[in-house]
């Protein structure tokens, strides 16, 4: 593939750019439903798992609990999710989809197929490769008890941060 700038782009750069462009398109379409790509992922996970703890959702979504908490605060304010203490352990918060969230999720269900159709051919085969990549990279990040890959001393000189 030839880039329009005449410069070769790395696979990582292309992947990041494609992801950003797709997320922007998602967000444009989802905005009218009061959703973002992040909130749609949360609703989809709640649809699959049902009511769940905030910690359980964070783990399933491979998000930091603080990031999820901020998004859930916005979604709760919009009436898309409900949060309530677990009856057996009041310190644990259970999250569920509200009726308004269920309606928004149902309306949003067709957006992914529309965006894939607009993206053109090859998206179906790409999905399997991307799912494998996400699984591999996610396992390296989230299954590593220290959190994220090699120590800075193990990184190449140009990758180290101050």
């Amino acid at each position: 593939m030839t880039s329009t700038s005449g410069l070769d782009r790395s696979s990582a750069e292309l992947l990041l750019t494609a992801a950003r462009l797709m997320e922007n398109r998602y967000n444009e379409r989802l905005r009218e439903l009061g959703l973002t790509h992040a909130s749609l992922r949360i609703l989809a996970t709640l649809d699959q798992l049902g009511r769940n703890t905030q910690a359980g959702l964070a783990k399933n979504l491979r998000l930091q609990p603080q990031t999820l908490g901020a998004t859930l605060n916005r979604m709760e304010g919009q009436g898309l999710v409900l949060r309530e203490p677990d009856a057996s352990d009041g310190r644990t918060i259970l999250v569920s989809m509200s009726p308004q969230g269920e309606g928004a999720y149902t309306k949003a269900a067709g957006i992914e197929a529309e965006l894939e159709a607009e993206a053109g051919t090859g998206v179906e085969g790409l999905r399997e490769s991307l799912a494998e990549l996400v699984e591999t990279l996610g396992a390296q990040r989230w299954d590593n008890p220290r959190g994220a890959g090699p120590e800075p001393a193990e990184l190449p000189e140009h990758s180290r941060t101050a």
Side-chain angles (χ1 to χ4, degrees), residues 116 119-133:
E116 287 183 4
T121 62
V123 174
E124 186 62 40
L126 180 62
R127 178 187 289 121
E128 187 174 314
S129 296
L130 289 173
E132 186 176 316
L133 179 62

Side-chain angles (χ1 to χ4, degrees), residues 33-99:
L33 299 175
L35 300 175
T36 63
H37 182 234
S39 60
L40 179 61
R41 286 185 59 219
I42 292 168
L43 292 177
T45 301
L46 287 170
D47 184 62
Q48 287 180 325
L49 303 176
R51 193 165 86 161
N52 207 311
T53 65
Q54 193 165 317
L57 279 175
K59 183 175 181 176
N60 274 283
L61 290 163
R62 296 185 187 255
L63 293 174
Q64 295 294 330
Q66 298 85 353
T67 302
L68 178 62
T71 304
L72 287 175
N73 286 340
R74 285 190 298 276
M75 292 175 72
E76 186 176 33
Q78 294 174 284
L80 298 170
V81 297
L82 304 170
R83 290 195 282 189
E84 56 194 6
D86 185 344
S88 64
D89 180 359
R91 297 170 297 169
T92 301
I93 302 296
L94 295 174
V95 183
S96 60
M97 230 190 302
S98 70

Side-chain angles (χ1 to χ4, degrees), residues 126-145:
L126 180 62
R127 178 187 289 121
E128 187 174 314
S129 296
L130 289 173
E132 186 176 316
L133 179 62
V134 167
E135 186 64 31
T136 300
L137 294 176
Q140 290 171 1
R141 169 147 172 84
W142 295 99
D143 296 342
N144 178 347

